[in-house]
Amino acid sequence: MSATDFDVLIVGAGLSGIGAAYHLQTRSPGRSYAILESRDSIGGTWDLFRYPGIRSDSDMYTFGYAFRPWTGGKAFADGPSIRQYVRDTASENGIDRHIRFGHKVLAANWDSASARWQVRSTDGQGGETVLTARFVMLCSGYYRYDQGYLPEFAGYEDFKGAIVHPQHWDNALDYAGKKVVIIGSGATAVTLVPAMADSAAHVTMLQRSPTYIAARPSRDVIAETLRKALPAKLAYLLSRIKNIGLAIYVYQLSKRWPDFVKKAVIKAVRDELGEGFDVETHFTPRYNPWDQRFCLAPDGDFFQALKSGKADIVTDHVERFTETGIQLKSGEHIEADIIVPATGLEMQLAGAAQISRDGVVVDPADLYTYRGMMLGDVPNLALAFGYTNASWTLKVDLTCERVCRMLNHMEKTGTDIAVPNVPADITPEPLLDFSSGYVQRAIAHLPKQGDRAPWKTYQNYLQDMLTIRFGKLEDGYMTFSKAPEPVRQLSAREAAE
């Protein structure tokens, strides 16, 4: 194997990248590959985020890899457990030996003459290097690692206490006995409230508008029963099928009968909190279920924190930061020693790497996604992009399977290039039909989807499984071809003749 030329380059050593490497080793054995990781450790999101209580909102029977059963106990695992799960997967399968740490990809150019990607990255020692590959898999996630989203709050500099964004948590921060205000109503805020409430003097979650929050048991009784009675892999498979089916059922129910689901969720919140809580103000969203992701409260921990009096929730708008807290537009002032702006992510494709074809820069916003896993008219490039309505890993696993099928097909047919060709009559649609703030802020900069398959992403695992796993590779849009013959240089004699 060349130290600079590979069959496949994988960008990112997080959950997606390690999974991609496993699929490549097992489904397309013999392919040379390397993983380029910008940071100095394995784990991606689960190594970056270190705020109190960090955990998955997806159950590990579907968020975990299809090929490696989750045996960690809790269905909704904490960040350190997930990080260890990814690292163990890498080490047990020899994947960690293929990782080049400190290699942040800066640019990737498709060179038609050689049918190779030229990938320019940092080299981990302050310099830059160029690697080449037949195929590139972008597994670097969908958001910026260097900074999270932070609105421009008036008076930000006036606050005399500590301000810490969850994406860059300071482990030295001591919040014991302190008054904490968490700004936001998403998964991060709902996680932080119960995690900080036990030791903080008081925690206030300040939200502009409510979100859907559902309490679920932290342990999957059915999965644990199956694991005691059946072989581990079979028990995991059955638990996985059960949870996939449940997720699809809830999503479809939400889309077809949103009012019914909305009433059921709000009733469950009332049952959790009992009398005396203003559920109408604080827990009744203005949007329909699954127009944004649900927030999860394992064992109802978020509601328990509210009932205990250690935490409360305020629905209002920030007027400005003051020296001692936050002034609200309603006129109320919230005292704080620490402010945590859990205000979301900044979406970013390919880790901000510049993508080009034969030296011409490609704007992702001008492109269409093919089967939610490739970019139209861009050869030999795949994206690991998960579901918005189900576990991220479900789609990534399918994407990796399809890539391996393509690689094997190219080897069998003697072809080198796989490119999805965009039809002229396609109608553009936003890539994500999601009203969440982080999506709406980025939608104009993301690729588009089309109005029909295979350019439309249906966010349906069963549908994708059938088409991605079993559908024809040469489907009328995807074309396979050989690399151009190298141009032979004429000798002086030949040129003279």
Side-chain angles (χ1 to χ4, degrees):
M1 180 181 73
S2 168
T4 59
D5 184 57
F6 301 88
D7 291 319
V8 181
L9 277 178
I10 298 170
V11 181
L15 188 74
S16 300
I18 300 303
Y22 178 88
H23 282 283
L24 190 65
Q25 289 184 174
T26 55
R27 296 177 183 274
S28 298
R31 302 292 197 285
S32 61
Y33 77 92
I35 302 175
L36 305 182
E37 169 55 50
S38 64
R39 306 176 75 245
D40 59 3
S41 56
I42 295 172
T45 294
W46 304 104
D47 184 68
L48 174 68
F49 282 92
R50 301 296 182 105
Y51 61 79
I54 172 68
R55 55 170 170 75
S56 171
D57 254 13
S58 299
D59 71 276
M60 290 303 296
Y61 299 100
T62 57
F63 192 65
Y65 298 120
F67 56 82
R68 190 174 191 272
W70 168 254
T71 58
K74 288 187 176 181
F76 302 98
D78 58 69
S81 298
I82 300 173
R83 182 168 63 248
Q84 193 61 48
Y85 173 78
V86 176
R87 290 178 176 176
D88 289 346
T89 302
S91 62
E92 290 170 7
N93 294 283
I95 296 168
D96 51 354
R97 297 195 296 269
H98 295 261
I99 302 173
R100 300 189 179 195
F101 293 106
H103 279 63
K104 177 177 174 56
V105 174
L106 306 173
N109 176 64
W110 171 256
D111 179 60
S112 297
S114 61
R116 289 285 196 284
W117 281 100
Q118 301 164 339
V119 179
R120 180 167 60 89
S121 71
T122 56
D123 63 5
Q125 298 176 350
E128 293 185 6
T129 187
V130 175
L131 304 178
T132 57
R134 297 173 182 269
F135 205 101
V136 170
M137 295 186 69
L138 298 175
C139 299
S140 50
Y142 63 100
Y143 66 91
R144 291 184 62 169
Y145 270 40
D146 59 331
Q147 69 177 51
Y149 175 66
L150 183 65
E152 294 184 4
F153 293 114
Y156 185 88
E157 302 295 337
D158 296 337
F159 182 61
K160 300 301 184 182
I163 301 175
V164 55
H165 194 286
Q167 189 165 324
H168 304 286
W169 194 264
D170 181 2
N171 288 322
L173 179 69
D174 182 12
Y175 55 86
K178 304 290 180 63
K179 291 174 288 187
V180 180
V181 176
I182 300 168
I183 304 174
S185 60
T188 302
V190 173
T191 299
L192 280 166
V193 169
M196 300 182 75
D198 281 342
S199 55
H202 189 77
V203 177
T204 296
M205 187 174 94
L206 172 60
Q207 60 179 13
R208 287 186 303 177
S209 59
T211 190
Y212 290 101
I213 305 175
R216 287 187 62 186
S218 61
R219 307 189 76 90
D220 189 324
V221 176
I222 294 177
E224 293 184 355
T225 302
L226 289 172
R227 192 163 66 243
K228 292 176 182 177
L230 300 172
K233 288 187 177 180
L234 177 58
Y236 183 65
L237 174 62
L238 293 177
S239 301
R240 189 176 174 87
I241 291 172
K242 183 261 295 183
N243 286 359
I244 289 172
L246 180 61
I248 292 174
Y249 169 74
V250 171
Y251 180 75
Q252 293 298 329
L253 194 67
S254 299
K255 288 300 183 182
R256 295 185 184 189
W257 295 284
D259 289 340
F260 171 78
V261 174
K262 183 172 185 175
K263 289 176 182 177
V265 173
I266 293 171
K267 180 183 182 302
V269 172
R270 285 197 175 97
D271 292 343
E272 285 281 346
L273 294 175
E275 298 297 328
F277 278 84
D278 188 353
V279 173
E280 185 67 28
T281 298
H282 303 308
F283 294 97
T284 305
R286 295 191 293 264
Y287 59 89
N288 285 329
W290 277 115
D291 284 352
Q292 298 181 22
R293 281 189 72 98
F294 266 75
C295 289
L296 177 74
D299 295 328
D301 58 359
F302 177 80
F303 302 114
Q304 294 296 329
L306 295 181
K307 287 191 292 185
S308 71
K310 297 178 180 178
D312 68 344
I313 185 167
V314 174
T315 303
D316 208 324
H317 287 71
V318 175
E319 177 73 33
R320 63 176 294 109
F321 285 18
T322 68
E323 290 188 1
T324 59
I326 299 176
Q327 183 67 44
L328 305 178
K329 289 188 176 180
S330 65
E332 181 183 353
H333 185 270
I334 305 177
E335 295 290 321
D337 301 305
I338 299 170
I339 296 176
V340 182
T343 45
L345 309 165
E346 287 196 6
M347 293 190 72
Q348 187 180 70
L349 192 70
Q354 185 182 79
I355 299 174
S356 58
R357 289 174 302 203
D358 296 321
V360 179
V361 176
V362 173
D363 184 350
D366 294 333
L367 304 177
Y368 289 84
T369 56
Y370 169 83
R371 300 195 184 279
M373 56 168 282
M374 296 184 75
L375 297 174
D377 299 327
V378 179
N380 293 17
L381 180 75
L383 301 169
F385 205 92
Y387 292 117
T388 57
N389 64 347
S391 290
W392 177 269
T393 325
L394 291 175
K395 181 59 180 292
V396 174
D397 271 341
L398 291 177
T399 295
C400 295
E401 286 185 37
R402 183 83 175 193
V403 167
C404 291
R405 285 185 65 200
M406 291 167 55
L407 293 172
N408 295 342
H409 179 78
M410 286 191 282
E411 182 178 45
K412 183 179 179 179
T413 58
T415 52
D416 308 283
I417 303 168
V419 56
N421 300 294
V422 182
D425 61 344
I426 196 168
T427 300
E429 295 182 1
L431 176 62
L432 300 172
D433 182 19
F434 230 42
S435 64
S436 298
Y438 68 95
V439 172
Q440 294 304 309
R441 289 192 298 271
I443 200 71
H445 307 290
L446 297 176
K448 299 178 284 288
Q449 65 173 329
D451 58 332
R452 61 190 184 274
W455 305 97
K456 190 174 182 65
T457 304
Y458 290 97
Q459 298 290 337
N460 186 303
Y461 175 74
L462 293 180
Q463 186 174 356
D464 282 345
M465 181 184 69
L466 293 174
T467 56
I468 290 179
R469 184 176 290 176
F470 304 112
K472 289 183 179 180
L473 292 174
E474 299 189 53
D475 56 7
Y477 298 102
M478 176 67 71
T479 60
F480 295 88
S481 60
K482 293 185 178 181
E485 292 290 336
V487 178
R488 188 173 69 85
Q489 296 293 324
L490 297 177
S491 65
R493 178 179 178 182
E494 289 175 319
E497 293 176 352

